[in-house]
């Protein structure tokens, strides 16, 4: 079975013609798939039955995700869903609706790319659950479409996308890129490339490959430490990717794409938040035009803690004094375990 939600527009043209139908039917099919979001073949009312039948005979299907559980934060700005795919896989995906500028409301979907994660970062709930599987492109796309369907009923739409859910996007490169192409293609979902951010733990060959894709997407590298000794304690799989090499890779990405890389830094109490570490980070990043986004640690089971607010601000000030652009991330959804690093399938226990 091949899910129509993994078929790129050019492939759809070829497919429709191969099945003996005029090419323009591919456009109709794509339009129906991405603007009406059908859940089964028989929902494709604009498409002639003969073409629908031919697609089914050729092994095509519309796989649909099922919403198993929904949690909405008290302020209504964050929605977390537990989705189940046909193979019984369960993943989480989050919608964040928050904007400083009220005239430009944002609806950002945070997508997962893997079930669990093989990178094992010690402070990350997903990393601690181990690795189960790579998601397929259609499973990534369906997270966005699911929210698009919900938003459409309210006259709203998805405006931004961050690959910051469960898993490491560059460790599932081909399926992740296929999903990005489907979500940004003007004949498919049509989201602006600039509205997409991919966050990586720092897989250098993947960063270089991404720079060559001819895509205008933003890249964030999760750094968490200014030196290798500390970084390896937090990201045990960091071995082959030194801090120095990551900074070089970020420079290459900027040179090729013209898009500046953001360094994410999860601030963990008494682990990587001292003034000494901040000064070292400022030294390492100085002169790079780098932007650092501090993420005060969200609680997970690992026994790590969030630093006091004044420590976070002191850390930020040291970077700014060192001429490094630095912001503190506004966290959304902590109380519903939807914030960074808290995505895990612990809801499974509750619903079983
Ligand atoms: N695997 C990718 C993307 C998913 S994680 C990556 O690591 O970048 C998205 C972001 O959340 C990363 O910057 C990650 O370091 C951060 N994160 C993970 N656990 C966290 C936690 N408990 N508190 C705060 N940030 C966390
Ligand atoms: Fe994986 Fe990112 Fe979590 Fe590390 S922080 S374990 S790379 S999801």
């Amino acid at each position: 079975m091949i899910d129509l939600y993994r078929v790129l527009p050019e492939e759809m043209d070829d497919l429709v013609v191969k099945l003996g139908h005029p090419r323009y039917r591919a456009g109709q099919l794509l339009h129906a798939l991405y603007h009406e979001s059908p859940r089964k073949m028989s929902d494709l009312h604009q498409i002639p039955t003969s073409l629908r039948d031919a697609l089914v005979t050729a092994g095509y299907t519309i796989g649909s995700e099922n919403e198993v559980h929904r949690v909405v934060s008290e302020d209504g700005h964050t929605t977390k869903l537990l989705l189940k795919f046909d193979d019984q896989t369960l993943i989480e995906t989050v919608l964040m609706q928050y904007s400083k500028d009220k005239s430009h409301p944002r609806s950002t979907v945070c997508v997962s790319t893997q079930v669990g994660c093989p990178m094992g970062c010690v402070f990350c709930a997903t990393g601690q659950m181990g690795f189960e599987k790579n998601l397929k492109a259609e499973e990534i796309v369906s997270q966005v479409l699911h929210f698009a369907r919900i938003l459409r009923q309210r006259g709203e739409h998805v405006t931004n996308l961050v690959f910051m859910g469960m898993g490491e996007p560059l460790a599932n490169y081909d399926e992740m890129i296929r999903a990005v192409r489907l979500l940004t293609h003007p004949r498919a979902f049509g989201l602006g490339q600039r509205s997409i951010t991919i966050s990586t733990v720092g897989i250098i060959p993947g960063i270089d490959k991404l720079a060559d894709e001819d895509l205008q997407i933003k890249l964030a590298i999760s750094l968490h430490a200014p030196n290798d000794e500390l970084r390896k304690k937090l990201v045990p799989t960091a071995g082959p990717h030194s801090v120095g090499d990551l900074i070089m890779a970020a420079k290459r990405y900027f040179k090729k794409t013209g898009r500046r890389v953001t360094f994410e830094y999860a601030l963990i109490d008494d682990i990587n938040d001292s003034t000494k570490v901040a000064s070292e980070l400022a030294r390492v990043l100085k002169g790079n035009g780098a932007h650092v986004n501090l993420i005060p640690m969200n609680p997970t089971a690992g026994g790590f803690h969030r630093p006091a607010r004044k420590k976070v601000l002191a850390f930020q000030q040291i970077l700014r004094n060192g001429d490094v652009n630095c912001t503190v991330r506004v966290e959304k959804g902590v109380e519903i375990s939807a914030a960074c690093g808290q995505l895990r399938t612990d809801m499974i226990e509750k619903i079983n």
Side-chain angles (χ1 to χ4, degrees):
M1 296 291 238
I2 305 163
D3 196 323
L4 283 179
Y5 278 115
R6 66 173 289 108
V7 181
L8 290 162
E10 305 77 38
E11 296 169 344
M12 196 72 89
D13 291 339
D14 293 347
L15 173 63
V16 164
V17 171
K18 201 176 90 196
L19 296 177
H21 288 259
R23 182 179 285 256
Y24 72 85
R25 292 283 184 211
Q28 288 180 335
L29 244 177
L30 288 161
H31 188 272
L33 287 170
Y34 291 96
H35 298 281
E36 289 158 26
S37 323
R39 300 186 61 84
K40 48 188 189 313
M41 283 283 188
S42 54
D43 290 342
L44 293 168
H45 305 295
Q46 310 291 325
I47 307 302
T49 320
S50 58
L51 176 53
R52 277 192 256 156
D53 290 348
L55 284 166
V56 172
T57 310
Y60 288 86
T61 176
I62 294 179
S64 46
E65 74 294 343
N66 282 304
E67 185 179 319
V68 184
H69 198 66
R70 182 186 297 199
V71 202
V72 182
S73 65
E74 238 165 61
D75 62 12
H77 290 161
T78 312
T79 307
K80 171 160 114 163
L81 302 181
L82 186 62
L83 298 181
K84 191 186 213 166
F85 297 118
D86 291 346
D87 67 355
Q88 307 303 306
T89 302
L90 286 160
I91 59 106
E92 293 174 349
T93 182
V94 183
L95 173 71
M96 295 162 289
Q97 296 191 285
Y98 169 77
S99 174
K100 282 190 195 137
D101 178 359
K102 292 264 184 302
S103 59
H104 292 93
R106 279 179 179 225
S107 293
T108 304
V109 179
C110 176
V111 290
S112 296
T113 51
Q114 298 182 311
V115 184
C117 181
M119 310 309 290
C121 302
V122 295
F123 53 89
C124 170
T126 309
Q128 292 309 301
M129 70 183 270
F131 174 67
E132 266 177 50
K133 74 160 215 176
N134 281 324
L135 291 183
K136 296 198 239 64
E138 58 269 34
E139 293 169 329
I140 300 171
V141 167
S142 72
Q143 298 169 49
V144 183
L145 284 185
H146 197 92
F147 277 122
R149 238 181 255 125
I150 295 172
L151 288 172
R152 196 178 300 134
Q153 289 169 352
R154 314 203 294 237
E156 299 171 30
H157 60 277
V158 175
T159 60
N160 295 73
L161 200 58
V162 291
F163 283 73
M164 295 187 185
M166 301 167 83
E168 166 50 40
L170 298 185
N172 183 17
Y173 192 92
D174 292 345
E175 293 299 303
M176 181 276 293
I177 278 291
R178 180 175 276 269
V180 169
R181 297 218 176 271
L182 289 159
L183 291 165
T184 55
H185 201 296
R187 295 176 64 208
F189 192 66
L191 201 64
Q193 291 176 0
R194 289 182 172 81
S195 333
I196 298 185
T197 303
I198 292 184
S199 174
T200 175
V201 72
I203 298 176
I204 292 176
I207 294 173
D208 286 328
K209 217 167 151 189
L210 196 64
D212 284 333
E213 292 286 350
D214 202 20
L215 285 168
Q216 292 281 301
I217 45 184
K218 292 190 220 158
L219 181 68
I221 299 178
S222 298
L223 198 61
H224 311 314
N227 61 62
D228 294 327
E229 196 193 336
L230 180 55
R231 190 162 195 270
K232 276 182 200 160
K233 283 189 192 145
L234 302 174
V235 184
T237 47
H241 309 288
S242 73
V243 170
D245 289 346
L246 281 173
I247 293 170
M248 296 297 286
K251 279 189 184 161
R252 287 196 296 277
Y253 189 85
F254 174 53
K255 215 170 159 203
K256 276 232 166 103
T257 63
R259 307 207 67 80
R260 268 189 211 295
V261 172
T262 296
F263 290 105
E264 291 165 287
Y265 193 106
L267 263 186
I268 312 172
D269 196 30
D270 286 342
I271 304 278
N272 65 353
D273 66 337
S274 69
T275 51
K276 187 167 165 271
V277 169
S279 306
E280 189 182 347
L281 186 64
R283 241 188 351 265
V284 169
L285 294 180
K286 200 181 158 109
N288 274 308
H291 180 111
V292 175
N293 194 207
L294 298 176
I295 317 173
M297 161 87 196
N298 290 312
T300 61
F304 297 100
H305 304 284
R306 167 181 291 218
R309 186 76 187 164
K310 71 173 200 292
K311 273 174 117 182
V312 175
L313 296 177
F315 198 96
Q316 180 187 32
Q317 199 52 51
I318 291 171
L319 284 168
R320 288 186 166 170
N321 292 346
D323 257 348
V324 177
N325 198 338
C326 178
T327 48
V328 179
R329 179 172 299 174
V330 180
E331 283 298 347
K332 295 266 97 193
V334 177
E335 83 275 18
I336 60 164
S337 290
C340 301
Q342 295 178 303
L343 290 175
R344 61 179 300 160
T345 39
D346 55 6
M347 268 195 291
I348 299 168
E349 287 157 27
K350 290 188 200 144
I351 57 170
N352 274 346

